[in-house]
Amino acid sequence: QVQLVESGGGLVQPGGSLRLSCTVSGSIFSGYAVGWYRQAPGKQRDLVASMTTDGSTNYADSVKGRFTISRVNVKGTVYLQMNSLKPEDTAVYYCNIRRAAREYWGQGTQVTVSS
């Protein structure tokens, strides 16, 4: 059974950095596209960053230039490096993998940007 576990969230001051990790087990990881989504209180879950199986990336306009998605297929791991964090980045961040009609989600990790 495919399982995703996020880690690396926490409390950080504005302008600070965090790196989120997502470990994937029970799948042939290299065959999946990967992504990070976030959901703030009272808002919908939105795409933050994604990467296809060939390495093509896509970022939300609000995070472009500040966040970087990466993957290490042999480790089954997805990363989200977050720099220059802003209070509006506060949300629960979710890892996602998908292939064709199938997709899987992690439980989420809380990121809070506040002084």
Side-chain angles (χ1 to χ4, degrees), residues 62-104:
S62 60
V63 307
K64 189 172 295 184
R66 299 188 297 121
F67 291 9
T68 303
I69 187 171
S70 61
R71 65 191 295 173
V72 181
N73 287 337
V74 296
K75 299 290 186 181
T77 304
V78 189
Y79 300 99
L80 184 68
Q81 178 66 46
M82 305 185 295
N83 299 324
S84 301
L85 284 162
K86 305 174 180 179
E88 51 263 46
D89 295 318
T90 296
V92 178
Y93 285 71
Y94 298 90
C95 181
N96 168 270
I97 67 171
R98 67 180 188 275
R99 183 182 67 184
R102 295 187 177 187
E103 66 175 0
Y104 304 91

Side-chain angles (χ1 to χ4, degrees), residues 6-10 18-21 82 109-111:
E6 300 100 334
S7 63
L18 285 174
R19 188 180 74 162
L20 306 183
S21 299
M82 305 185 295
T109 185
Q110 177 71 48
V111 172

Side-chain angles (χ1 to χ4, degrees), residues 7-52:
S7 63
L11 175 65
V12 64
Q13 294 185 348
S17 298
L18 285 174
R19 188 180 74 162
L20 306 183
S21 299
C22 173
T23 59
V24 181
S25 62
S27 70
I28 304 175
F29 182 67
S30 61
Y32 289 82
V34 300
W36 286 95
Y37 295 73
R38 68 186 181 188
Q39 186 169 25
K43 297 184 178 180
Q44 66 181 8
R45 184 179 296 187
D46 292 326
L47 175 70
V48 176
S50 64
M51 178 179 286
T52 64

